[in-house]
Amino acid sequence: MKTALLVIDMQHFFTEMTHDCLPNILKLNTHFKNNSMPRIFTQHGHTKEELTPPYKNQLVKKWGPSGSIAKGSPDWQLMSPIAKAAEGCPIIHKNTYDGFINTNLADVLEEQDIGRVVVCGVMTDCCCDTTARAAFNRGYETWLVSDACGTASKKQHEAGLRGFGYAFGEVLKTHEALGRDELQS
């Protein structure tokens, strides 16, 4: 079964949440790159229209325009080490927690004959968890890498991992994922 790394929303907006997870995301990326395994990145953002009342996007309704990421803004940009890692890889632009909704992510995975996704990035309990659950619901074996995900608090992080691990897929640490036979070339 072919496996892809799915790196979620590693953008400047979330920098404070990434200090612990960024080194592990880069380890995963290096492994996938060195073994010619697919790597896919997402980038969350909202158009000017979505950030203008009346708000049609539920995330903008919930967080307000000041708590949302405007496409093209400095906060929208991928963090420098991630932008470098993403060179030559698909970048899926999304505007909600689920990386499959209103995007071509399913097509990208299908075109590459992917059967398993390894999910990391931010936020553990929002975009990572939601996209990982959506992948599971679409028939992909899904791993969520706990120490390669970050969020606003330890409590939120643990809750997201616990919910995903209970019903959807495996929750692994970076060294556990990298040690799996499925990730060896």
Side-chain angles (χ1 to χ4, degrees), residues 9 11 40-46 71-72 76-78 89-96 98-105:
D9 301 348
Q11 297 160 249
I40 302 162
F41 296 77
T42 69
Q43 189 171 21
H44 185 98
H46 300 281
K71 279 189 175 180
W76 178 78
Q77 301 301 321
L78 293 174
C89 296
I91 298 175
I92 308 297
H93 297 276
K94 64 187 197 62
N95 68 350
T96 191
D98 185 337
F100 288 90
I101 293 178
N102 302 322
T103 75
N104 66 335
L105 179 56

Side-chain angles (χ1 to χ4, degrees), residues 70-139:
K71 279 189 175 180
S73 70
D75 281 344
W76 178 78
Q77 301 301 321
L78 293 174
M79 297 170 58
S80 297
I82 296 299
K84 184 175 180 180
E87 288 176 1
C89 296
I91 298 175
I92 308 297
H93 297 276
K94 64 187 197 62
N95 68 350
T96 191
Y97 297 138
D98 185 337
F100 288 90
I101 293 178
N102 302 322
T103 75
N104 66 335
L105 179 56
D107 294 334
V108 170
L109 294 172
E110 188 175 313
E111 288 166 6
Q112 297 187 54
D113 197 31
I114 302 300
R116 176 186 306 109
V117 292
V118 177
V119 179
C120 61
V122 291
M123 295 172 64
T124 310
D125 52 320
C126 293
C127 295
C128 293
D129 176 58
T130 304
T131 300
R133 288 177 186 225
F136 171 88
N137 287 332
R138 286 170 171 78

Side-chain angles (χ1 to χ4, degrees), residues 34-55:
N34 289 346
N35 288 282
S36 300
M37 299 169 76
R39 298 167 294 131
I40 302 162
F41 296 77
T42 69
Q43 189 171 21
H44 185 98
H46 300 281
T47 63
K48 185 176 180 181
E49 179 184 39
E50 290 173 327
L51 296 171
T52 304
Y55 308 120

Side-chain angles (χ1 to χ4, degrees), residues 161-174:
L161 297 171
R162 191 170 40 257
F164 179 81
Y166 176 76
F168 295 95
E170 288 191 70
V171 175
L172 303 168
K173 292 195 178 292
T174 299

